[in-house]
Amino acid sequence: MSSVTMIKNNAIVTFESCIESCTICIESCSNRPGMQDCIKYCERCIDACKDCIASTNKSSLDTAIYLQQCVDACYNCARECEKHTHDSCRQCAEACRSCIEECESLLA
């Protein structure tokens, strides 16, 4: 396996993990009052991660744009989730922070 393929595979695993954590967070927060912002940021994060996966698979010239949008979405999601004490929010924030690191390493 080439190093480029390995980097892409690692990134995709990170994006998928973030999507999974955000999905769990949405499901958990949907039953709690006052969690609309958390849900909104998780949904945006999921969309951004999916865009990154799609662009990584296509070797798109716009990959850098998608990666930066993912950094922004994950940052906002992590910041919101860190306001809450629920396990799902804490785990989501951690996944978002990992995703930010992965995106930034790909952008470097």
Side-chain angles (χ1 to χ4, degrees):
M1 182 180 296
S2 76
S3 60
V4 171
T5 302
M6 199 175 230
I7 290 168
K8 283 185 178 182
N9 287 343
N10 289 341
I12 290 170
V13 167
T14 302
F15 298 138
E16 288 173 343
S17 176
C18 193
I19 290 168
E20 181 180 352
S21 292
C22 286
T23 301
I24 292 168
C25 191
I26 289 170
E27 291 169 358
S28 176
C29 291
S30 65
N31 296 325
R32 295 185 180 116
M35 300 300 287
Q36 295 82 5
D37 284 346
C38 191
I39 292 168
K40 174 182 71 175
Y41 286 119
C42 283
E43 289 170 343
R44 289 179 182 170
C45 193
I46 289 169
D47 290 342
C49 287
K50 286 181 178 179
D51 288 343
C52 284
I53 291 171
S55 72
T56 303
N57 287 334
K58 295 178 184 174
S59 298
S60 170
L61 296 175
D62 295 329
T63 299
I65 294 169
Y66 290 121
L67 289 170
Q68 187 57 56
Q69 289 173 344
C70 193
V71 167
D72 296 342
C74 286
Y75 173 79
N76 290 328
C77 187
R79 194 176 66 190
E80 179 62 29
C81 283
E82 287 166 349
K83 295 177 183 176
H84 311 289
T85 59
H86 313 111
D87 284 342
S88 60
C89 289
R90 184 185 50 75
Q91 291 167 358
C92 184
E94 289 174 15
C96 287
R97 295 286 179 202
S98 294
C99 198
I100 290 167
E101 288 177 22
E102 185 68 34
C103 289
E104 288 177 341
S105 72
L106 293 171
L107 286 166

